[in-house]
């Protein structure tokens, strides 16, 4: 083949290719992207039509993704087999093919022409490849003026095909990512609905069990008191789980509100230590606190929510620390914030897990092998409570040595709003 285009024509083509490569790399919507590739393929090869066929692994065929309108409208589900078709040959051999006289070439797959009421006279086709993978075929059809496809046409279509393949793959990857995201959102919604419904539906029967068991314990003979205690303890555990579930659910539904009141963080820390003293003693863990002697560390926050958050941190510290270990609470003021620390000499958290432990339902140990109870909600609840106050929560930990959790809370609403403003800007 000899080049029919003059030098000017060639430089025009190159310019157009450059221009197009910029458009291709910035278009991530597959349908318009394919359409513009087809339009440019036609223009650069001086063809009456062009088309893109992408390999469909499900059917094992090449499916027409787009055609130039002159070939008819709507590609529907038009496909060509890999055998007995020019596109199939190009795809399987990953080589270009030129058909200068289609009427006499038996390799041309006629069914497509029939379906589209179109007549293929000549054809230039190339594989669309990304690295070692062939994803489809691009074809320019019917050289205008009944001319022949040239070496230049081949080269220019080759360049376009290389860029088009990358652009197509990017658009497909994005579309797959969007689909995966939509699916994740759907599953997340299902999970949230399940939590909301389950916690709501479990609450009433659980209340009844607990109420009646407590009543029965009073009236039945004392030799059954131990069994009643087991029922009551089990129900209390279930109640705590249901409460955690509904806390998460309310937070997600935006039903949780921060009701600020002025209270002493120093006192909350002391009260919390008192509350857990028995549990700590049972496990032979030393539980203590360090708060300023004269400063009540007054803070304007939702006491109940901070109480829940702090309780969850202390419960975890006791859970993940062995006998003879230590757990300590510390509170101090720093500028417009009160910081509360919960430190333990427990098992610590592996470095790779630290970022995930605040996620809902996340637990370091697999739920199949874990020795500790819990649903992986405690820390996500603590995080939600702290963040509702525009505060921050984080952990520093060393596996085998222990952990330090810190909650940092703005002392009042004004401070909280200024934190929110800094985050927004
Ligand atoms: P759970 O109530 O199931 O323990 P959490 O959300 O409270 O769930 O904690 C998530 C996971 O983080 C725990 O299962 C545990 O693996 C890890 N973790 C939390 N606190 C500590 C701690 N103080 N020491 C070691 N690991 C911890």
């Amino acid at each position: 083949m000899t080049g029919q285009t003059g030098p000017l024509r060639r430089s025009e083509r190159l310019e157009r290719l450059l221009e197009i490569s910029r458009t291709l790399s910035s278009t991530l919507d597959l349908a318009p992207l394919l359409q513009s590739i087809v339009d440019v393929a036609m223009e650069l090869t001086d063809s009456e039509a062009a088309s893109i066929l992408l390999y469909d692994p499900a059917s094992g065929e090449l499916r027409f993704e787009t055609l130039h309108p002159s070939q008819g409208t709507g590609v529907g589900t038009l496909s060509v087999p890999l055998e007995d078709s020019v596109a199939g040959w190009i795809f399987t051999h990953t080589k270009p093919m030129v058909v200068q006289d289609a009427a006499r070439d038996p390799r041309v797959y006629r069914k497509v022409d029939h379906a589209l009421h179109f007549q293929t006279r000549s054809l230039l086709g190339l594989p669309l490849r990304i690295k070692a993978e062939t994803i489809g075929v691009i074809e320019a059809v019917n050289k205008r003026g009944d001319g022949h496809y040239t070496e230049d046409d081949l080269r220019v279509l080759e360049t376009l095909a290389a860029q088009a393949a990358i652009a197509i793959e990017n658009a497909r990857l994005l579309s797959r990512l969007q689909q995966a995201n939509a699916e994740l959102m759907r599953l997340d919604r299902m999970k949230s609905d399940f939590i909301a419904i389950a916690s709501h539906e479990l609450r009433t029967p659980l209340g009844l069990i607990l109420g009646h068991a407590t009543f029965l314990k009073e009236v039945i003979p004392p030799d059954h008191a131990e069994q009643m205690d087991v029922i009551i303890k089990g129900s209390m555990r279930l109640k705590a789980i249901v409460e955690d579930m509904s806390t998460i659910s309310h937070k997600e539904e935006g039903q949780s509100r921060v009701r600020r009141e002025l209270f002493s963080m120093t006192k909350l820390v002391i009260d919390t230590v008192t509350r857990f003293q028995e549990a700590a003693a049972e496990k032979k863990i030393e539980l203590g606190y360090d708060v300023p002697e004269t400063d009540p560390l007054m803070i304007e926050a939702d006491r109940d929510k901070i109480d829940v958050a702090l309780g969850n941190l202390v419960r975890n510290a006791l859970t993940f620390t062995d006998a003879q270990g230590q757990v300590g609470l510390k509170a101090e003021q720093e500028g417009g914030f009160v910081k509360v620390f919960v430190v333990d000499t427990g098992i610590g958290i592996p470095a790779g897990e630290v970022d995930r432990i605040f996620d809902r339902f996340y637990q370091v140990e697999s739920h199949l092998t874990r020795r500790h109870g819990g649903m992986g909600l405690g820390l996500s609840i603590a995080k939600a409570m702290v963040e509702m106050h525009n505060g921050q929560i984080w952990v520093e930990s060393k596996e085998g040595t222990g952990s330090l959790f810190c909650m940092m809370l703005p002392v009042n609403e004004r401070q909280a709003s200024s934190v929110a403003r800094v985050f927004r800007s």
Side-chain angles (χ1 to χ4, degrees):
M1 279 187 288
T2 50
Q4 289 178 352
T5 47
L8 186 65
R9 191 70 201 279
R10 202 176 275 166
S11 71
E12 272 175 2
R13 280 173 152 193
L14 280 177
E15 243 171 61
R16 187 80 182 100
L17 258 179
L18 251 175
E19 200 182 304
I20 268 314
S21 80
R22 277 185 225 119
T23 318
L24 293 190
S25 55
S26 62
T27 312
L28 282 169
D29 202 351
L30 193 57
L33 174 74
L34 295 175
Q35 197 55 57
S36 56
I37 297 169
V38 159
D39 292 346
V40 175
M42 259 178 51
E43 182 192 331
L44 292 177
T45 58
D46 203 13
S47 301
E48 280 174 14
S51 51
I52 287 176
L53 301 94
L54 294 180
Y55 180 65
D56 175 16
S59 65
E61 293 191 322
L62 286 164
R63 207 179 52 224
F64 274 95
E65 293 294 331
T66 187
L67 305 160
H68 188 267
S70 65
Q71 272 175 295
T73 48
V75 289
T77 51
L78 210 52
S79 300
V80 296
L82 292 188
E83 300 86 33
D84 305 325
S85 72
V86 170
W89 189 93
I90 295 169
F91 181 82
T92 43
H93 291 79
T94 56
K95 283 191 180 132
M97 185 190 276
V98 187
V99 176
Q100 302 289 21
D101 187 359
R104 285 204 233 144
D105 201 313
R107 293 170 303 186
V108 176
Y109 189 66
R110 309 275 166 210
K111 279 189 191 156
V112 175
D113 276 4
H114 289 160
L116 297 172
H117 309 293
F118 183 83
Q119 197 194 355
T120 301
R121 295 191 309 278
S122 56
L123 184 153
L124 168 62
L126 283 163
L128 289 166
R129 305 193 68 199
I130 299 163
K131 294 184 188 147
E133 195 197 352
T134 310
I135 60 165
V137 170
I138 182 165
E139 290 178 340
V141 184
N142 293 353
K143 180 82 177 171
R144 284 188 197 278
D146 287 331
H148 279 181
Y149 282 111
T150 65
E151 203 73 55
D152 268 359
D153 291 329
L154 178 64
R155 265 191 229 112
V156 88
L157 197 60
E158 227 163 34
T159 313
L160 179 67
Q163 288 167 355
I166 296 169
I168 290 169
E169 191 60 5
N170 285 346
R172 280 168 140 195
L173 286 176
L174 183 76
S175 143
R176 261 181 243 150
L177 200 67
Q178 283 166 340
Q179 278 168 19
N181 260 341
E183 182 59 9
L184 277 180
M185 278 164 76
R186 193 182 68 81
L187 291 174
D188 202 54
R189 187 70 238 159
M190 274 173 71
K191 193 161 85 175
S192 302
D193 288 351
F194 171 75
I195 298 172
I197 294 166
S199 61
H200 185 259
E201 293 302 315
L202 287 173
R203 188 177 287 241
T204 313
L206 203 53
L208 289 173
I209 294 172
L210 202 53
H212 285 269
T214 316
F215 167 74
L216 282 177
K217 193 187 163 199
E218 302 298 319
V219 296
I220 58 167
D223 41 337
H224 290 303
E226 207 177 304
Q227 281 91 335
M228 288 318 293
D229 275 342
V230 172
I231 296 177
I232 292 171
K233 216 169 164 196
S235 310
M236 294 288 283
R237 176 82 200 105
L238 273 179
K239 189 167 172 264
I241 292 173
V242 169
E243 261 158 27
D244 277 359
M245 283 163 71
S246 71
T247 305
I248 282 287
S249 174
H250 287 161
K251 163 77 176 45
E252 281 183 351
E253 301 297 326
Q255 291 168 5
S256 293
R257 294 271 169 275
V258 172
R259 292 183 189 85
R260 287 182 195 274
E261 58 179 306
L262 194 64
F263 67 90
S264 156
M265 188 61 90
T266 301
K267 181 160 186 320
L268 181 63
V269 166
I270 297 172
D271 287 352
T272 308
V273 168
T274 310
R275 179 153 61 102
F276 283 96
Q277 205 55 264
E278 200 183 316
E282 256 174 41
K283 268 196 90 177
K284 299 194 171 50
I285 292 172
E286 195 186 314
L287 174 64
Y289 61 79
D290 172 8
V291 286
E293 258 172 44
T294 51
D295 188 350
L297 295 176
M298 295 309 287
I299 177 169
E300 230 177 78
D302 191 322
R303 192 182 188 283
D304 289 347
K305 291 193 169 57
I306 302 305
D307 187 22
V308 168
L310 187 58
N312 287 355
L313 294 187
V314 176
R315 191 173 302 108
N316 279 346
L318 293 174
T319 304
F320 297 103
T321 301
D322 290 331
Q324 320 308 333
Q326 289 154 351
V327 172
L329 275 69
K330 180 179 160 80
E332 64 186 21
Q333 176 132 18
E334 195 181 292
F337 299 88
V338 168
K339 278 178 161 180
V340 185
F341 302 89
V342 178
V343 193
D344 66 59
T345 57
I347 61 171
I349 299 155
E353 308 278 351
V354 167
D355 288 343
R356 305 199 54 192
I357 56 167
F358 292 97
D359 292 350
R360 276 181 304 157
F361 299 109
Y362 193 78
Q363 296 172 327
V364 173
E365 287 179 309
S366 147
H367 70 281
L368 297 173
T369 56
R370 70 198 310 260
R371 290 166 293 139
H372 311 281
M375 293 229 300
L377 285 178
L379 288 181
S380 61
I381 289 175
K383 184 168 187 267
M385 302 286 151
V386 171
E387 288 181 350
M388 282 167 79
H389 287 81
N390 287 336
Q392 279 184 55
I393 184 167
W394 68 89
V395 61
E396 288 162 26
S397 186
K398 194 162 177 230
E399 206 177 348
T401 306
S403 310
L404 177 149
F405 282 83
C406 179
M407 301 195 288
M408 188 164 111
L409 295 158
V411 287
N412 52 31
E413 192 159 12
R414 199 164 45 82
Q415 179 71 20
S417 315
S418 75
V419 173
R421 265 200 306 280
V422 171
F423 276 121
R424 271 201 303 273
S425 62

